[in-house]
Every structure is written in structure tokens, then in C-alpha cells.
Amino acid sequence: MGGAFLAAAVLARVGGRIGLPTIPLFILAGILLGPHTPGIVLVADPHDLEMLSALGLVLLLFYLGLEFHLDDLKTGGRKMALAGGAYLALNVGAGLAFGFATGWGTSEALVLAGVLGISSSAIVTKVLVDLGRLGNGETKPILGIIVVEDIFLALYLAALQPILSGADSLASAVGDAAKAFGFLLLLAVAARWGTRLIGKLMHTKDDELLVISFLGVAVFVAGVSEWFGVADAIGAFMVGLMLGSTSSGDRIRTLVHPLRDAFGAIFFFAFGLSIDPGDLPGVLVPVLIAVAVTLVMNVAAGLVAARLYGFGPQPAANISTTLLARGEFALILATMAAGAGLDPQLSPFIAGYVLVLAVLGPLAAGRSEWLARLLPGGSAQPPGGGGALSSPASERV
């Protein structure tokens, strides 16, 4: 564990001196020091870090929930639903078409629809934090799209599992989906009407007790969510949504920072451990095609979201590039596909695709002004607008 933290820290410090984001460097540390690369092997079995990696994802999404205010859902729910629906329609639709075009099979195409269609909530959160864009106007549709994706994810996994396992019971599949949706609805009701009671239960002047309390609630609800067929990350997000609106919300945001950063680094390091570089050359061409498809669909979705919110080319570019990365959900699907005995090329393809976008996404987000100049109306953009003014009235954090 010490070696993992130190390796991630050293690479991140070196990369920071030349302007590289930390996420791909944490992943690179996992690849270089994992079991699939010659040389020093810090962690021979990636499963050894499975629980800590899961905790990193939970804390990243918990923090995202803290930053996503209930008032945003109340005032902009319709726009968020439209933006999220458009993003899913474009990206999941393109992923499904790409899956059928590969000729690997129907089950493989359904897996690829999810792989190409869903952004990495963990990487998106880290990008927003690293670039200081949590207060930008365009961050609201970005977070809204992530929420819609996570809700879709819960239902999609519930529907896909019986297909991959060969189950032929429609009633069983519908029952799993209903259970997941019902639990999501329960969390949403608690977030909407239970905030005052939750705030009273959480309130304490002692920081130590507050840390133990919010960490216990976030991890416990994440675990219960998984039992109900809902991604643990969305359960943690909903807890953050509840606690962020309480009187202790600001203190919780401050106290969770070091936990989020430390275990978030382990999440990305563990992701790198799972990648075998030797499997990548055989799927290089389909990986590059899939990356190109995702780039085009993300730009289209960014333009749609920006139009819905009345934003200009720079916020549209920020939306497109911030949502570009793929990660934890794709790895879940790769595991499911391997367990179901699907085409053996699928797992290395997913690993290569995710790795490219996990590196490209943060880099593109940090230089989104380049894309903004190519979008309609972008020729009038002043150079160096990567931080992005979200609207004439908005201010950069």
C-alpha cells in the first residue's frame, strides 16, 4: 500500500511539472507496477485492492453529491433530463451500432453499448475538482448528465444481467429492475423530504464524530444499494446529495477532501493494475475507431446540452471534453462479459478503449479552448479560455 501511494505521488509530481493531469498518471503507476508488466510488481493480484478501490469510488461520488445541490434538481430537472437523455441516446446508440458492426454478436453489442455510452463518474468528478470548475455554470448540466447516466446504469445492469447469464425469465428481469428502481425512488424521497431530520441526526460539533458518521452512512448506503442492484456509487452520491443540504454540509465538504484524494488515487491505481498491455495490439484498430466515434458523439451531445442551457462554444467544449472519459462502469461490464464467456477479444478491447479515453479525457478537458474555436461561433472566442465562462453572467471559480 505504501508503495502504491508513493508511486502514484511520484508520477503525479513529475507529471504536474509538465502540466499533465493526475488521473492518467495514477493509472500509469498501476500499469507499470502491476502483474502484467515486467519489472517490480507491487501488487500481484489486483483483487487485493478491491475494497480500497471501491471505497475510493464511493468517496468520489459522495463528494460529487455534496456539490450537487437539491435546488439544482428542483429548478433544472427538466433540462437535466433532456441533456442526459440526449447524451445517452447519442452515445449508447452509437455504441450499439458499433457493437453490431464488429460482428462479435448480439450480447457483445449490448455490452459495448454500455461501454461506449456511459462516462466515468469518478474521472469526471476528479477532472472538475482538478480544473476548479465545480462552480462554473456548465458544470450543472455535466452533473445532471452524470445523474441521468447513473440512474440509467442501475436499470441497465439489472436488465443486462439476465441476458448475459442466459436467463429466459422476463418476470425475473423485470423484478430485478423494479427492485433497483424502487430503491432509487426511496433514496430520492429521503433526499427531497428527509433532509431536515437527517441534518439533526448528523449534527455534532466534534469533527471526529462527524467524519465517522458521514463515512459510515455513505459506505453503508453504498453497500445496501449494491444489494438492491443499484451501483454503490449512485447510493453514495444520493447520501452526498442529502448531507450537502444540511447545516453540516460545508464542514463535511472540507473534512472529506483528504479521504477523497487518498482513496481516489488508489481507485485509479487499481484500475491500472487490471490492464495487460500485451493484449492491446490485437484490438488497436477497433479501439481507435471506437475512440473516434465517442469523440464525435460527445461533441454532438455537448452542443445539444449547451443549446438547452443557452451556453456558447466554450461551455459546450467543456461539457464535451469533461464527459469524454470512460472507466469504472466499462470495467464492470468487462468482468460481466468475461464471466458470461463472451468473445475473448472483448476484455482487451474494453481495457484499451478505457485506457485511451482515461488519458485523453482529462487532457482534452484541460485544453477545451482548442475545441471551442472549432465549434459554431468559436472563432470569436478569446484564446486561453479553457476555464470557460459558462454564460455572460457567470463567474469562474
Side-chain angles (χ1 to χ4, degrees), residues 203-233:
H203 180 71
T204 175
K205 294 182 180 180
D206 189 313
D207 284 351
E208 180 184 13
L209 292 179
L210 185 58
V211 169
I212 295 171
S213 299
F214 74 67
L215 188 60
V217 172
V219 175
F220 179 77
V221 173
V224 174
S225 298
E226 196 168 35
W227 186 78
F228 274 96
V230 177
D232 51 5

Short mmCIF file of all heavy atoms in Angstrom, two decimals, residues 203-233:
data_model
loop_
_atom_site.label_atom_id
_atom_site.label_comp_id
_atom_site.label_asym_id
_atom_site.label_seq_id
_atom_site.Cartn_x
_atom_site.Cartn_y
_atom_site.Cartn_z
N HIS A 203 -25.79 16.23 13.06
CA HIS A 203 -25.15 17.41 13.65
C HIS A 203 -24.34 17.06 14.90
O HIS A 203 -24.80 16.37 15.80
CB HIS A 203 -26.21 18.45 14.02
CG HIS A 203 -25.61 19.68 14.63
ND1 HIS A 203 -24.87 20.60 13.90
CD2 HIS A 203 -25.61 20.14 15.91
CE1 HIS A 203 -24.46 21.56 14.69
NE2 HIS A 203 -24.89 21.31 15.92
N THR A 204 -23.10 17.54 14.91
CA THR A 204 -22.22 17.45 16.07
C THR A 204 -21.11 18.48 15.90
O THR A 204 -20.70 18.78 14.77
CB THR A 204 -21.61 16.04 16.22
OG1 THR A 204 -20.67 16.05 17.30
CG2 THR A 204 -20.90 15.59 14.95
N LYS A 205 -20.63 19.02 16.99
CA LYS A 205 -19.53 19.99 16.93
C LYS A 205 -18.17 19.32 16.85
O LYS A 205 -17.17 19.97 16.56
CB LYS A 205 -19.59 20.91 18.16
CG LYS A 205 -20.84 21.79 18.19
CD LYS A 205 -20.82 22.71 19.41
CE LYS A 205 -22.07 23.60 19.43
NZ LYS A 205 -22.08 24.52 20.61
N ASP A 206 -18.13 18.03 17.12
CA ASP A 206 -16.88 17.27 17.13
C ASP A 206 -16.57 16.77 15.71
O ASP A 206 -17.32 15.98 15.15
CB ASP A 206 -17.01 16.09 18.09
CG ASP A 206 -15.69 15.39 18.33
OD1 ASP A 206 -14.98 15.12 17.34
OD2 ASP A 206 -15.36 15.11 19.50
N ASP A 207 -15.46 17.23 15.13
CA ASP A 207 -15.10 16.82 13.77
C ASP A 207 -14.87 15.32 13.66
O ASP A 207 -15.21 14.70 12.64
CB ASP A 207 -13.84 17.56 13.32
CG ASP A 207 -14.11 19.01 12.94
OD1 ASP A 207 -15.30 19.39 12.87
OD2 ASP A 207 -13.14 19.77 12.73
N GLU A 208 -14.27 14.73 14.68
CA GLU A 208 -14.00 13.29 14.65
C GLU A 208 -15.30 12.49 14.52
O GLU A 208 -15.41 11.58 13.69
CB GLU A 208 -13.25 12.86 15.90
CG GLU A 208 -12.94 11.37 15.95
CD GLU A 208 -12.30 10.95 17.25
OE1 GLU A 208 -12.31 11.75 18.21
OE2 GLU A 208 -11.79 9.82 17.31
N LEU A 209 -16.29 12.86 15.33
CA LEU A 209 -17.58 12.16 15.28
C LEU A 209 -18.29 12.40 13.95
O LEU A 209 -18.95 11.51 13.42
CB LEU A 209 -18.47 12.61 16.44
CG LEU A 209 -18.01 12.20 17.84
CD1 LEU A 209 -18.96 12.75 18.89
CD2 LEU A 209 -17.90 10.69 17.95
N LEU A 210 -18.13 13.61 13.41
CA LEU A 210 -18.78 13.91 12.13
C LEU A 210 -18.18 13.09 11.00
O LEU A 210 -18.89 12.55 10.15
CB LEU A 210 -18.65 15.41 11.83
CG LEU A 210 -19.38 15.91 10.58
CD1 LEU A 210 -20.87 15.60 10.66
CD2 LEU A 210 -19.16 17.40 10.38
N VAL A 211 -16.84 12.96 10.99
CA VAL A 211 -16.17 12.15 9.97
C VAL A 211 -16.65 10.70 10.04
O VAL A 211 -17.01 10.09 9.02
CB VAL A 211 -14.64 12.22 10.12
CG1 VAL A 211 -13.96 11.17 9.24
CG2 VAL A 211 -14.14 13.60 9.77
N ILE A 212 -16.65 10.15 11.24
CA ILE A 212 -17.08 8.75 11.39
C ILE A 212 -18.53 8.58 10.97
O ILE A 212 -18.90 7.58 10.34
CB ILE A 212 -16.88 8.31 12.86
CG1 ILE A 212 -15.40 8.29 13.22
CG2 ILE A 212 -17.47 6.92 13.09
CD1 ILE A 212 -15.11 8.09 14.68
N SER A 213 -19.35 9.57 11.28
CA SER A 213 -20.78 9.48 10.97
C SER A 213 -21.04 9.53 9.47
O SER A 213 -21.72 8.66 8.92
CB SER A 213 -21.55 10.62 11.67
OG SER A 213 -21.41 10.54 13.07
N PHE A 214 -20.49 10.55 8.78
CA PHE A 214 -20.80 10.65 7.34
C PHE A 214 -20.14 9.53 6.55
O PHE A 214 -20.69 9.03 5.56
CB PHE A 214 -20.48 12.03 6.78
CG PHE A 214 -19.03 12.38 6.57
CD1 PHE A 214 -18.25 11.73 5.61
CD2 PHE A 214 -18.44 13.41 7.30
CE1 PHE A 214 -16.92 12.08 5.40
CE2 PHE A 214 -17.11 13.76 7.09
CZ PHE A 214 -16.35 13.09 6.14
N LEU A 215 -18.94 9.09 7.00
CA LEU A 215 -18.28 7.98 6.30
C LEU A 215 -19.08 6.69 6.48
O LEU A 215 -19.28 5.92 5.53
CB LEU A 215 -16.87 7.81 6.84
CG LEU A 215 -15.96 6.82 6.12
CD1 LEU A 215 -15.78 7.22 4.67
CD2 LEU A 215 -14.60 6.74 6.81
N GLY A 216 -19.56 6.46 7.70
CA GLY A 216 -20.36 5.27 7.95
C GLY A 216 -21.64 5.25 7.14
O GLY A 216 -22.00 4.23 6.53
N VAL A 217 -22.34 6.39 7.10
CA VAL A 217 -23.59 6.45 6.34
C VAL A 217 -23.34 6.25 4.85
O VAL A 217 -24.05 5.49 4.18
CB VAL A 217 -24.30 7.80 6.59
CG1 VAL A 217 -25.50 7.96 5.66
CG2 VAL A 217 -24.74 7.92 8.04
N ALA A 218 -22.32 6.91 4.30
CA ALA A 218 -22.04 6.82 2.87
C ALA A 218 -21.69 5.39 2.46
O ALA A 218 -22.22 4.86 1.47
CB ALA A 218 -20.90 7.77 2.49
N VAL A 219 -20.82 4.75 3.21
CA VAL A 219 -20.38 3.40 2.86
C VAL A 219 -21.51 2.40 3.09
O VAL A 219 -21.72 1.47 2.28
CB VAL A 219 -19.12 3.01 3.67
CG1 VAL A 219 -18.73 1.56 3.39
CG2 VAL A 219 -17.96 3.94 3.31
N PHE A 220 -22.27 2.58 4.17
CA PHE A 220 -23.37 1.65 4.46
C PHE A 220 -24.44 1.71 3.38
O PHE A 220 -24.88 0.67 2.87
CB PHE A 220 -23.98 1.99 5.82
CG PHE A 220 -25.14 1.09 6.20
CD1 PHE A 220 -24.91 -0.19 6.67
CD2 PHE A 220 -26.44 1.53 6.07
CE1 PHE A 220 -25.96 -1.03 7.01
CE2 PHE A 220 -27.51 0.71 6.40
CZ PHE A 220 -27.27 -0.58 6.88
N VAL A 221 -24.85 2.92 3.01
CA VAL A 221 -25.88 3.06 1.97
C VAL A 221 -25.36 2.56 0.62
O VAL A 221 -26.10 1.96 -0.15
CB VAL A 221 -26.37 4.52 1.88
CG1 VAL A 221 -27.32 4.70 0.70
CG2 VAL A 221 -27.07 4.93 3.18
N ALA A 222 -24.07 2.79 0.34
CA ALA A 222 -23.48 2.27 -0.89
C ALA A 222 -23.58 0.74 -0.93
O ALA A 222 -23.93 0.15 -1.96
CB ALA A 222 -22.03 2.71 -1.01
N GLY A 223 -23.28 0.09 0.20
CA GLY A 223 -23.37 -1.37 0.25
C GLY A 223 -24.79 -1.87 0.10
O GLY A 223 -25.05 -2.85 -0.61
N VAL A 224 -25.74 -1.21 0.77
CA VAL A 224 -27.15 -1.59 0.64
C VAL A 224 -27.63 -1.38 -0.80
O VAL A 224 -28.39 -2.19 -1.34
CB VAL A 224 -28.02 -0.79 1.63
CG1 VAL A 224 -29.50 -1.08 1.42
CG2 VAL A 224 -27.63 -1.13 3.07
N SER A 225 -27.17 -0.30 -1.43
CA SER A 225 -27.54 -0.02 -2.82
C SER A 225 -27.14 -1.17 -3.72
O SER A 225 -27.90 -1.62 -4.58
CB SER A 225 -26.88 1.28 -3.30
OG SER A 225 -27.30 2.38 -2.55
N GLU A 226 -25.91 -1.66 -3.53
CA GLU A 226 -25.42 -2.75 -4.36
C GLU A 226 -26.26 -4.00 -4.16
O GLU A 226 -26.52 -4.75 -5.11
CB GLU A 226 -23.95 -3.02 -4.01
CG GLU A 226 -23.21 -3.85 -5.04
CD GLU A 226 -21.71 -3.85 -4.79
OE1 GLU A 226 -21.29 -3.84 -3.62
OE2 GLU A 226 -20.98 -3.87 -5.78
N TRP A 227 -26.71 -4.22 -2.94
CA TRP A 227 -27.55 -5.39 -2.66
C TRP A 227 -28.89 -5.29 -3.40
O TRP A 227 -29.45 -6.30 -3.81
CB TRP A 227 -27.78 -5.49 -1.15
CG TRP A 227 -28.51 -6.73 -0.75
CD1 TRP A 227 -28.01 -7.99 -0.62
CD2 TRP A 227 -29.90 -6.84 -0.42
NE1 TRP A 227 -28.98 -8.87 -0.23
CE2 TRP A 227 -30.16 -8.19 -0.10
CE3 TRP A 227 -30.95 -5.92 -0.38
CZ2 TRP A 227 -31.43 -8.64 0.25
CZ3 TRP A 227 -32.21 -6.37 -0.03
CH2 TRP A 227 -32.44 -7.72 0.29
N PHE A 228 -29.37 -4.08 -3.60
CA PHE A 228 -30.63 -3.85 -4.31
C PHE A 228 -30.45 -3.79 -5.83
O PHE A 228 -31.41 -3.54 -6.55
CB PHE A 228 -31.30 -2.55 -3.83
CG PHE A 228 -32.17 -2.72 -2.62
CD1 PHE A 228 -31.68 -2.46 -1.36
CD2 PHE A 228 -33.48 -3.16 -2.74
CE1 PHE A 228 -32.47 -2.61 -0.23
CE2 PHE A 228 -34.28 -3.32 -1.62
CZ PHE A 228 -33.78 -3.05 -0.37
N GLY A 229 -29.23 -3.98 -6.30
CA GLY A 229 -28.99 -3.94 -7.73
C GLY A 229 -28.70 -2.56 -8.27
O GLY A 229 -28.68 -2.34 -9.48
N VAL A 230 -28.47 -1.60 -7.37
CA VAL A 230 -28.11 -0.24 -7.76
C VAL A 230 -26.61 -0.08 -7.55
O VAL A 230 -26.06 -0.57 -6.56
CB VAL A 230 -28.88 0.80 -6.91
CG1 VAL A 230 -28.46 2.22 -7.27
CG2 VAL A 230 -30.39 0.63 -7.11
N ALA A 231 -25.94 0.60 -8.48
CA ALA A 231 -24.49 0.80 -8.33
C ALA A 231 -24.18 1.45 -6.98
O ALA A 231 -24.85 2.40 -6.57
CB ALA A 231 -23.97 1.67 -9.47
N ASP A 232 -23.16 0.93 -6.29
CA ASP A 232 -22.80 1.50 -4.99
C ASP A 232 -22.48 2.99 -5.09
O ASP A 232 -22.76 3.77 -4.18
CB ASP A 232 -21.62 0.74 -4.37
CG ASP A 232 -20.44 0.59 -5.31
OD1 ASP A 232 -20.47 1.16 -6.42
OD2 ASP A 232 -19.48 -0.11 -4.94
N ALA A 233 -21.93 3.39 -6.24
CA ALA A 233 -21.57 4.79 -6.42
C ALA A 233 -22.78 5.72 -6.39
O ALA A 233 -22.73 6.81 -5.82
CB ALA A 233 -20.81 4.97 -7.74
#
